[in-house]
């Protein structure tokens, strides 16, 4: 049962990496979109594409935390003890990102919009970095039960590398999705704009991954070996194939399937990491069975999860379906009958 | 002095990071809790208005429902992010509690996480479905929203109730929980009283606050159908619930009396266990057990707790000083409790006033004083929400898990300096975020008012006389033809975009 819950946790991480990652990526490109005039159209697209779904995507993270503390309380305690600073910064980043995005939308003044937009975009870059660094810190075996909070746990090669990799992966996902969104919203000029950026981001992922091979060999020995043999290697290879397939689809301008392959590549990478860490939650000090909470609770956690999937699954599918069909649109000023007010310049 | 000696011992056992950790938790939770009533109850109130709009083909009701949706969109986002911070803080501040007890009481959070997931999905569909979904389809897709909100509240309150009356486990020789029984751990004695008290408080607060906005408009002379409707619907919801809450609050207090006698003693400033205990309205507890100030009503506390003066009420001194709230904490809990009760009683009077006029005269009260009171009722309700939370949390001190774990045992080992720095950053960030949120909502209101006034000046019911300042999204052209594109008034004066009124 503990193994099952551990896999649910890996799935939740994968889901957050894919769903939340896409939104972080959109924020990343918002940051790089240039000045108010030049970045007007990309930002418009990012705004439209993200708005209906980003809150839902964010909930995966809450779900992940709940599974962690309910299913594996000691793991939760150890991780939040040792990786205090990156997690605290990620939490602040989450607030700034969400608030910046939500407040930018109804603002009608350029100056305000700039501030909110900048807050949103910068924190979209920092938050995935710190979350990635947390995973890196765990994977490199620097966290054990009782490790005190210090920079040792995360200011190292592997955590920094995974942080950067997380940023690059989100940028890749974001750009791939924005390509499809640009087509959906009929903004043909933006399709090529984001296509180029998707390819660049993929190149960055590849460079980081290849550079990471020698750099992490000694630093994260256990996971490194898990990733280069057996099931871990298989999943990594599949992730690479999916990544390459995405690139090919982008090159041939086939945007229907590119989203699925890009998501698959990220999810498979997370899965590969999960495989490589077996049987440890914290390599090489805490195994899944050592960290598992009370058996009765785990059984109920599984039951609650199944019920919830049945309950949440259909609405979630409906939401994504409505979103891709273009049925979801924000209320406009005409709908709520709003007039301009003095000082508005947008 | 004995008390100072006790205090010194207490301080010696208190890790330096305890204070900043508590301040940080208190600050973030106090901020988040301001948004909770809207997250739980605003969808319901909006759906009520929405239903009325569709049922009676009422364009004004539809406009109100849409405007509330626009506010909800921003409010829900801020609520989500401030709520996420709280999940992080369980690990960042109280890893000791989660590490030992996470698998005992964490399941409530599991229910909450999924319910919240459902709520986020449904609210996204509802908020973004206005334009293109069929009107009734759109409405029915929103209907499960309040249920999801109730389920989510259940999860959170189940966890908090467990912290107040922990059960569903056995302690082994080392003091670790074993033999966890999830059903017992979720359905704790305090769950029922706390849950219903909380849920009704949320609906009341949201109702009074929304109504308060239109009460202000009413006082300023905007006595049209729009303001009447915007006031009546939420205010009626809140007014109906107010007497219900009176009963629920009373039974919650009595549940505390039975299940957490020491907390009850703190709430009511009872120093020694006794019968014929007097009730103190406000007043301050000194560390020697005397009470300064306040209004003393003989016998009343015993009567309230057990319906007769001979009821025995447990006092604070029934447990060692280290196991009970300090005098200051007790005073805080007592004041919070008394403010909550006072405001609750005043709200009852307001609700009765409203009910009398509605039932007798079939009209809103005429008095300006009624609307003045109604205008501040929402803010007063928010104050009571904070007070209720302070009562239950401060009254539980020094325990984080009542009689099983002290707050000082649960706190993180991170240095106090880091926590103070974090608190500073969070305060700045939250001040900016909440300030900006308020500014944005007020701006929306201003823009709506300008539009309504210019429509009224035209002397017609047409929603808009001049082209809107922008017809579509802020970021450039959308190839789709829009309802208001080119300044054409939306069809039929109903203000309904394509997707159409029925």
């Amino acid at each position: 049962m503990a193994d099952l819950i551990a896999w649910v946790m890996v799935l939740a991480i994968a889901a957050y990496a894919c769903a939340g990652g896409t939104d972080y990526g959109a924020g990343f490109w918002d940051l790089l979109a240039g000045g108010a005039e030049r970045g007007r159209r990309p930002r418009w697209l990012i705004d439209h594409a993200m708005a209906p779904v980003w809150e839902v995507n964010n909930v995966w993270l809450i779900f992940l935390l709940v599974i962690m503390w309910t299913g594996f309380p000691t793991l939760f305690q150890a991780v939040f003890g040792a990786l205090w600073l990156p997690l605290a910064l990620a939490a602040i980043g989450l607030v700034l990102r969400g608030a910046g995005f939500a407040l930018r939308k109804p603002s009608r003044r350029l100056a305000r919009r700039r501030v909110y937009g900048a807050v949103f975009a910068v924190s979209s870059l920092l938050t995935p970095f710190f979350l990635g660094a947390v995973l890196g810190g765990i994977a490199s075996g620097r966290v054990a039960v009782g490790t005190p909070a210090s920079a040792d746990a995360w200011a190292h090669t592997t955590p920094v590398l995974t942080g950067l990799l997380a940023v690059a992966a989100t940028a890749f996902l974001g750009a791939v999705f924005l390509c499809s969104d640009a087509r959906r919203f009929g903004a043909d000029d933006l399709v090529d704009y984001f296509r180029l950026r998707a390819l660049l981001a993929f190149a960055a992922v590849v460079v980081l991954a290849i550079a990471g091979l020698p750099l992490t060999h000694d630093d994260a020995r256990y996971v490194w070996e898990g990733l280069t043999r057996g099931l871990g290697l298989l999943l990594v290879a599949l992730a690479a194939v999916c990544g390459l397939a995405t690139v090919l689809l982008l090159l041939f301008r086939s945007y229907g399937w590119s989203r699925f392959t890009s998501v698959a590549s990220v999810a498979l990478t997370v899965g590969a990491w999960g495989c490589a860490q077996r049987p440890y939650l914290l390599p090489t000090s805490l195994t899944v069975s050592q960290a598992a909470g009370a058996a009765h609770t785990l059984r109920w956690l599984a039951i609650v999860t199944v019920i919830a999937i049945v309950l949440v699954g259909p609405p979630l599918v409906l939401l994504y379906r409505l979103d891709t069909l273009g049925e979801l649109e924000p209320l406009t000023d005409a709908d709520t009958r709003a007039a301009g007010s003095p000082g508005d310049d947008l | 002095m004995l008390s100072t000696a006790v205090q010194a011992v207490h301080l010696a056992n208190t890790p330096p990071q305890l204070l900043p950790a508590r301040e940080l938790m208190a600050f973030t939770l106090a901020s988040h809790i301001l948004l909770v009533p809207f997250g739980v109850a605003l969808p319901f109130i909006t759906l009520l208005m929405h239903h009325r709009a569709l049922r009676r083909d009422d364009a004004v009701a539809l406009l109100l429902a849409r405007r509330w949706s626009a506010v909800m969109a921003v409010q829900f986002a801020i609520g989500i992010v401030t709520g996420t911070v709280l999940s992080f803080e369980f690990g960042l501040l109280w890893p000791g509690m989660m590490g030992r007890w996470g698998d005992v009481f964490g399941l409530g959070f599991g229910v909450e996480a999924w319910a919240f997931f459902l709520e986020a999905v449904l609210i996204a569909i509802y908020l973004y479905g206005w334009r293109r979904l069929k009107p009734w389809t759109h409405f029915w897709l929103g209907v499960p929203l309040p249920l999801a909100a109730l389920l989510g509240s259940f999860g959170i309150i189940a966890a908090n109730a467990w912290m107040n009356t922990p059960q569903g486990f056995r302690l082994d020789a080392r003091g670790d929980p074993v033999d966890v029984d999830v059903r017992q751990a979720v359905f704790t004695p305090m769950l029922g009283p706390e849950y219903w008290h909380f849920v009704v408080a949320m609906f009341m607060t949201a109702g009074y606050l929304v109504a308060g906005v239109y009460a202000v408009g009413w006082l300023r002379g905007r006595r049209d159908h729009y303001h009447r409707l915007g006031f009546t619907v939420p205010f009626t919801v809140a007014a109906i619930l107010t007497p219900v809450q009176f009963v629920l609050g009373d039974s919650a207090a009595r549940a505390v009396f039975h299940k957490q006698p020491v907390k009850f003693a703190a709430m009511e400033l009872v120093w020694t266990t006794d019968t014929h205990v007097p009730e103190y309205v406000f007043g301050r507890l000194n560390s020697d057990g005397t009470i300064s100030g306040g209004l003393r009503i003989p016998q009343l506390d015993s009567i309230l707790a057990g319906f007769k003066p001979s009821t025995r009420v447990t006092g604070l001194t029934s447990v060692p000083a280290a196991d009970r709230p300090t005098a200051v904490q007790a005073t805080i809990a007592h004041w919070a409790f008394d403010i909550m009760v006072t405001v609750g009683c005043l709200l009852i009077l307001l609700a009765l006033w409203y009910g009398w006029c509605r039932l007798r005269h079939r009209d809103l009260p005429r008095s300006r004083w009624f609307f003045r009171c109604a205008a501040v009722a929402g803010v007063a309700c928010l104050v009571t929400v904070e007070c209720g939370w302070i009562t239950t949390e401060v009254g539980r001190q020094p325990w984080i898990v009542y009689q099983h774990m002290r707050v000082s045992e649960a706190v993180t080992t991170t240095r106090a300096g880091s926590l103070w720095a974090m608190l500073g950053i969070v305060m700045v960030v939250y001040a900016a975020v909440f300030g900006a949120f308020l500014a944005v909502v007020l701006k929306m209101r201003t823009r709506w008012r300008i539009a309504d006034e210019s429509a009224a000046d035209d002397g017609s019911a047409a929603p808009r006389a001049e082209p809107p300042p922008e017809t579509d999204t802020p970021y450039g052209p959308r190839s789709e033809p829009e309802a208001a594109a080119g300044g054409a008034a939306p069809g039929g004066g109903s203000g309904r975009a394509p997707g159409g009124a029925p």
Side-chain angles (χ1 to χ4, degrees):
Chain A
M1 188 51 81
D3 282 328
L4 180 73
I5 300 294
W7 281 112
V8 171
M9 201 159 72
V10 172
L11 280 179
I13 296 175
Y16 185 61
C18 295
T22 309
D23 295 341
Y24 286 120
F28 180 82
W29 297 119
D30 192 290
L31 182 65
L32 298 187
E37 197 45 47
R38 198 154 60 88
R40 174 194 282 275
R41 300 235 336 124
R43 288 203 177 100
W44 162 78
L45 179 67
I46 289 164
D47 229 32
H48 252 59
M50 250 180 86
V53 291
W54 75 270
E55 286 156 329
V56 174
N57 293 342
N58 197 49
V59 182
W60 284 111
L61 182 63
I62 299 179
F63 179 58
L64 171 65
L65 292 176
V66 170
I67 295 190
M68 236 168 117
W69 76 52
T70 313
F72 305 100
T74 29
L75 168 75
F76 184 75
Q77 184 174 8
V79 169
F80 274 80
L83 298 164
W84 197 88
L85 191 60
L87 284 165
L89 291 175
I92 292 178
L94 282 165
V95 175
L96 289 175
R97 190 180 82 99
F101 184 74
L103 294 172
R104 178 167 77 171
K105 221 164 170 37
S107 305
R108 294 286 176 275
R109 284 192 201 177
L110 186 61
R112 295 240 174 91
R113 215 162 238 266
R114 272 207 180 112
V115 173
Y116 296 142
V119 167
F120 156 65
V122 172
S123 46
S124 290
L125 177 72
L126 295 179
T127 312
F129 174 79
F130 287 120
L131 291 175
V134 167
L135 283 192
I138 295 170
S140 61
R142 288 203 166 78
V143 181
V145 174
T147 305
S150 76
D152 289 347
W154 64 281
H156 265 282
T157 327
T158 311
V160 171
L161 194 81
T162 46
L164 293 175
L165 204 54
V167 173
T170 58
F172 170 60
L173 279 177
V176 170
F177 271 71
L178 285 167
C179 272
S180 312
D181 291 326
R183 285 229 316 182
R184 175 152 66 84
F185 288 116
D188 290 327
D189 53 324
L190 290 176
V191 176
D192 281 345
Y193 177 96
F194 283 114
R195 176 166 163 263
L196 175 67
R197 279 156 179 76
L199 295 173
L200 287 175
F202 186 76
V205 172
V206 170
V207 168
L208 284 169
I210 290 174
L213 274 178
L215 287 176
T216 59
H217 180 255
D218 295 323
D219 202 32
R221 193 63 187 251
Y222 188 83
V223 173
W224 197 92
E225 287 183 351
L227 285 174
T228 48
R229 68 183 59 162
L231 199 52
L233 182 62
L234 178 68
L235 290 179
V236 169
L238 282 176
V241 169
C242 286
L244 288 174
T246 314
V247 168
L248 288 177
L249 288 169
L250 286 177
L251 288 175
F252 289 109
R253 296 175 193 283
S254 163
Y255 302 108
W257 285 95
S258 59
R259 282 178 302 174
F260 296 101
T261 51
S262 65
V263 162
S265 70
V266 172
L268 285 166
T269 310
V270 174
W273 161 73
C275 273
Q277 258 196 215
R278 280 178 312 166
Y280 291 108
L281 283 177
L282 296 175
T284 49
S285 60
L286 187 71
T287 64
V288 170
S289 53
Q290 283 168 347
H296 194 66
T297 304
L298 292 183
R299 203 158 50 237
W300 273 96
L301 194 57
I303 293 171
V304 167
T305 306
V306 170
I307 295 173
I309 288 171
V310 173
L311 219 64
V312 180
L316 189 63
V317 171
L318 178 70
L319 172 69
Y320 284 140
R321 181 102 192 105
L322 288 174
D323 188 39
T324 36
L325 287 176
E327 293 283 316
L328 299 181
E329 277 185 22
L331 285 166
T332 64
D333 284 352
D335 295 324
T336 57
R337 231 174 80 188
S341 75
D344 288 359
D345 50 9
L346 280 168
Chain B
M1 291 294 289
L2 183 68
S3 62
T4 45
V6 166
Q7 204 132 37
V9 170
H10 195 63
L11 280 177
N13 291 338
T14 306
Q17 68 272 29
L18 183 62
L19 183 64
R22 289 182 57 190
E23 298 296 327
L24 184 51
M25 191 73 198
F27 178 75
T28 45
L29 199 46
S31 313
H32 178 69
I33 217 172
L34 295 173
L35 295 170
V36 173
F38 301 101
V40 174
L42 193 55
F44 172 75
I45 295 172
T46 306
L47 282 167
L48 270 187
M49 192 58 95
H50 191 173
H51 185 260
R52 188 190 176 97
L54 295 182
R55 198 61 189 272
R56 307 192 182 181
D57 201 7
D58 185 340
V60 173
L62 195 65
L63 184 64
L64 279 164
R66 281 186 186 167
R67 287 181 174 176
W68 293 350
S69 286
V71 174
M72 214 194 303
V74 188
Q75 163 269 318
F76 193 70
I78 308 290
I80 280 203
V81 292
T82 51
T84 312
V85 168
L86 295 176
S87 323
F88 271 82
E89 282 179 343
F90 282 120
L92 293 174
L93 303 179
W94 317 110
M97 172 170 72
M98 302 320 282
R100 181 183 289 180
W101 305 102
D103 57 340
V104 184
F105 82 118
L107 202 72
F109 290 112
V111 172
E112 188 272 343
W114 281 115
F116 189 54
F117 210 140
L118 192 61
E119 194 182 352
V121 171
L122 291 169
I123 211 165
I125 294 176
Y126 186 71
L127 294 180
Y128 291 90
W130 279 106
R131 300 196 54 151
R132 300 206 156 210
L133 296 176
K134 288 200 191 87
W136 280 104
T137 313
H138 178 222
F139 173 78
W140 284 111
L141 282 173
V143 165
L145 257 176
L147 300 177
L150 288 182
L151 190 62
S153 319
F154 174 84
I156 289 288
I157 298 297
N160 187 269
W162 183 87
M163 287 161 70
N164 282 314
T165 45
Q167 62 173 34
F169 60 91
R170 196 171 57 73
L171 293 180
D172 66 3
R174 288 186 308 158
D176 286 327
V178 289
D179 293 343
V180 175
D181 181 341
V182 166
R183 220 166 317 164
Q184 274 201 10
V186 170
F187 294 96
T188 54
M190 279 312 287
L191 173 63
E194 254 195 67
Y195 178 66
W196 293 112
H197 187 53
F198 170 83
V199 165
V200 172
M202 295 302 109
F203 279 83
M204 270 174 66
T205 308
Y208 280 130
L209 265 168
V210 175
V213 174
Y214 299 93
V216 172
W218 194 266
L219 283 170
R220 291 187 182 158
R222 298 187 202 103
R223 306 198 170 185
D224 46 15
H225 181 49
Y226 174 82
H227 281 82
R228 194 186 177 83
L229 205 56
F231 178 80
T232 313
V233 171
F235 197 88
T236 308
V237 171
I240 291 172
L241 288 174
T242 306
V244 176
Q245 181 71 326
F246 193 74
V247 177
L248 287 172
D250 181 58
S251 74
R254 210 161 292 117
V256 173
F257 168 69
H258 289 296
K259 306 294 175 193
Q260 294 181 278
V262 177
K263 182 194 274 189
F264 188 80
M267 280 158 55
E268 299 284 34
L269 299 189
V270 183
W271 187 249
T272 47
T273 307
D274 203 354
T275 55
H276 304 277
V277 177
E279 167 85 20
Y280 282 92
V281 182
F282 298 101
R284 184 164 59 85
L285 179 69
N286 301 313
S287 48
D288 60 357
T290 56
I291 293 165
S292 331
L295 179 65
R296 183 175 186 274
I297 307 172
Q299 314 269 10
L300 184 63
D301 195 42
S302 285
I303 296 175
L304 286 175
F307 305 112
K308 52 178 191 286
S310 58
T311 308
R312 196 177 177 76
V313 181
T314 308
L316 283 167
T317 48
S318 62
V319 291
D323 292 353
R324 64 178 189 232
T326 61
V328 175
Q329 285 167 343
T331 305
I332 291 173
H334 175 65
W335 272 72
F337 181 65
D338 279 9
I339 292 172
M340 175 168 69
V341 173
T342 311
V343 173
C345 292
L346 294 175
L347 288 175
I348 291 256
L349 296 179
L350 190 68
L352 287 177
W353 190 350
Y354 178 73
W356 172 261
C357 291
R358 284 305 299 260
L359 296 177
R360 266 318 280 277
H361 306 299
R362 310 242 149 239
D363 198 7
L364 293 178
R366 299 267 164 77
S367 165
R368 286 180 70 81
W369 274 107
F370 172 79
F371 285 95
R372 283 186 190 127
C373 295
V376 296
V379 180
C381 250
L382 269 186
V383 172
T384 61
V385 169
E386 296 278 3
C387 283
W389 164 67
I390 290 171
T391 307
T392 190
E393 295 300 301
V394 176
R396 198 187 55 234
Q397 302 299 322
W399 305 103
I400 194 163
V401 178
Y402 196 54
Q403 292 175 343
H404 283 284
M405 183 183 255
R406 287 165 200 282
V407 181
S408 55
E409 295 169 86
V411 75
T412 176
T413 52
T414 304
R415 276 178 296 120
S418 318
L419 288 173
W420 283 117
M422 177 84 175
L423 176 62
I425 295 170
V426 166
M427 283 175 110
V428 171
V429 167
Y430 272 42
V433 166
F434 277 82
F437 167 65
L438 207 60
V440 161
V441 171
L442 290 177
K443 196 75 185 173
M444 284 166 133
R445 187 200 58 167
T446 309
R447 299 169 71 234
W448 290 332
R449 198 180 58 219
I450 292 173
D452 289 350
E453 277 166 1
S454 67
D457 289 344
D458 291 339
S460 72
R464 186 191 301 283
E466 90 270 32
E470 75 189 307
T471 53
D472 200 61
T473 50
Y475 278 101
R478 171 84 195 258
S479 48
E480 302 275 346
E482 299 290 358
S494 72
R496 182 101 184 133

